[in-house]
Amino acid sequence: MARIAGVNIPTNKRVVIALRYIHGIGPVNAVTIVDELKIPHSKRVNELSDAEVLAIREIIDRDYVVEGDLRREVSMNIKRLTDLGCYRGTRHRKGLPVRGQRTHTNARTRKGPAKAIAGKKK
């Protein structure tokens, strides 16, 4: 199993797919890395040489913010917004959608399961 950026990437998958297991590297970045190293898109991780794995590791360390550093940066950005008390920060604090989505219906992912309200008795 190849270990890149502190993540064990699966050995039986294609390199372009396996790189996506690293937090901060999506489809576009994975293709960019593979193209930069001139690795065929059909090549699998277990077919990579040690030099290719090392080259991938160096490119990721040099050009991308991934894993712990990225998670820390995102959490610091959210903390900054909440400390400022701006609208986005208060939405984060309340656990509601931040980017203008409706909450009258939907938004169950952010709001959690529906809470029953006590109805009027007749």
Side-chain angles (χ1 to χ4, degrees), residues 49-94:
S49 66
D50 290 338
E52 287 172 327
V53 173
L54 185 63
I56 291 172
R57 197 175 294 138
E58 287 173 357
I59 285 179
I60 290 173
D61 288 343
R62 184 183 68 220
D63 297 337
Y64 298 96
V65 179
V66 292
E67 284 301 320
D69 294 335
L70 180 61
R71 292 178 205 272
R72 193 174 310 107
E73 186 177 323
V74 169
S75 67
M76 290 303 293
N77 288 340
I78 293 171
K79 186 178 182 320
R80 177 179 50 83
L81 291 171
T82 55
D83 291 345
L84 284 173
C86 65
Y87 181 78
R88 282 174 58 200
T90 57
R91 301 296 283 188
H92 273 294
R93 195 178 305 137
K94 292 176 184 176

Side-chain angles (χ1 to χ4, degrees), residues 16-17 19-20 22 24-35 41:
V16 177
I17 303 299
L19 285 176
R20 297 184 198 180
I22 301 170
I25 295 189
V28 174
N29 288 338
V31 170
T32 305
I33 291 168
V34 170
D35 287 344
H41 288 259

